[in-house]
Amino acid sequence: MTPYARRGVHGQTVELLARRILGGEIAEGATLDLVALQSELDVSLTALRESLKVLAAKGMVDARQRRGTFVRPRAEWNLLDADVLRWQFEGASTSESDRALLHNLAEVRAIIEPAAVRLAAQRRTDADLAALDGALDAMGEQGSDAAHAVEADLAFHRALLAATHNELLERMEMVIESGLAHRDRIVHSAPHSEDPVPAHRAVLDAVRDRDPQAAEAAMRALLDQAGRDLDRLDDSEEEGSHVDSAQDSEETEGSRSQ
């Protein structure tokens, strides 16, 4: 499904309600008080209903006679919808939930991208190679600009999926992109992450050589590197929590001694 336009009151209302639902502020099974929401958000009832239609199309809410509008069980939400993925990553309330989403994304990528790159190696065109070369060049020019690095990485993986010339696989960019962008923003802003260019260049070289086996192996190596970056983030966060706990203990002991 194509992501909806996020502009204006309508877009803001959709985003706000979606994040409240995904964050658990509005619980599964809860019935929405439309009059109260209309007053709180200062929107017309028509605008509120139109916003809820967007969430209904994504499986998040439903409306029935006598019961009204309610939040559907999470098992019925379209979690692969690009907007739902984006809301989850942007609204992750704790590092634990954030990391769980990133690890889920890593598993999805490990299933999709090695197979996709085999097809890309077999079917790529000169135009596909030009797009991949452009993305890799941009990745090499990123310097310390994390936003530039994110866009270059997204462009590379988008071009790889397009090079499969499989319409369904091309649409997988909507599934992968939101989570990949979020992962990239964290990784590229953290110190000591590995240089992504050599691993991406190995994938491109194999695709250019029309070598499916080498392309798959290179993609798996790239994903392994992405996994190491994520593990480093987990380790640094765990170390940070231990430091905080130790400092809290010292402060507590110090206050007792006083």
Side-chain angles (χ1 to χ4, degrees), residues 102-117:
L102 289 173
H103 283 291
N104 286 343
L105 170 69
E107 291 176 353
V108 170
R109 292 183 66 195
I111 293 169
I112 294 171
E113 292 194 276
V117 80

Side-chain angles (χ1 to χ4, degrees), residues 190-211:
H192 311 307
S193 60
E194 294 183 50
D195 181 0
V197 173
H200 285 76
R201 181 177 291 115
V203 172
L204 175 52
D205 288 344
V207 170
R208 193 189 312 277
D209 292 341
R210 296 189 185 277
D211 188 335

Side-chain angles (χ1 to χ4, degrees), residues 3-149:
Y4 78 100
R6 293 180 242 169
R7 297 182 296 274
V9 174
H10 169 70
Q12 293 171 8
T13 304
V14 171
E15 300 256 330
L16 177 62
L17 292 174
R19 291 198 175 107
R20 286 186 180 183
I21 293 171
L22 286 162
E25 185 178 343
I26 303 176
E28 298 173 48
T31 299
L32 303 180
D33 185 336
L34 300 192
V35 175
L37 280 173
Q38 179 189 358
S39 176
E40 177 194 350
L41 303 179
D42 193 22
V43 297
S44 68
L45 188 57
T46 299
L48 181 58
R49 290 189 185 279
E50 288 301 313
S51 298
L52 289 169
K53 284 181 181 179
V54 174
L55 300 183
K58 300 176 186 299
M60 297 176 68
V61 301
D62 200 357
R64 294 180 187 167
Q65 285 186 335
R66 298 184 182 178
R67 181 172 181 181
T69 302
F70 61 94
V71 178
R72 299 174 67 181
R74 183 181 176 88
E76 297 176 5
W77 301 350
N78 185 358
L79 295 177
L80 293 181
D81 178 271
D83 289 319
V84 177
L85 281 167
R86 177 173 58 81
W87 290 327
Q88 286 188 93
F89 281 108
E90 291 179 355
S93 57
T94 66
S95 60
E96 184 177 349
S97 63
D98 205 13
R99 295 294 184 266
L101 285 168
L102 289 173
H103 283 291
N104 286 343
L105 170 69
E107 291 176 353
V108 170
R109 292 183 66 195
I111 293 169
I112 294 171
E113 292 194 276
V117 80
R118 289 183 67 93
L119 291 178
Q122 295 167 332
R123 299 174 180 176
R124 59 77 173 165
T125 65
D126 289 343
D128 294 324
L129 291 178
L132 288 163
D133 280 326
L136 189 62
D137 288 344
M139 202 178 297
E141 297 166 358
Q142 68 191 39
S144 60
D145 188 343
H148 184 87

Side-chain angles (χ1 to χ4, degrees), residues 212-247:
Q213 289 184 330
E216 179 180 350
M219 176 55 73
R220 292 194 183 281
L222 188 158
L223 294 174
D224 286 344
Q225 176 175 322
R228 290 193 297 273
D229 286 337
L230 191 55
D231 288 341
R232 270 192 291 273
L233 289 172
D234 289 341
D235 292 342
S236 64
E237 185 137 331
E238 187 174 339
E239 288 174 6
S241 66
H242 288 328
V243 170
D244 290 342
S245 297
Q247 289 175 342

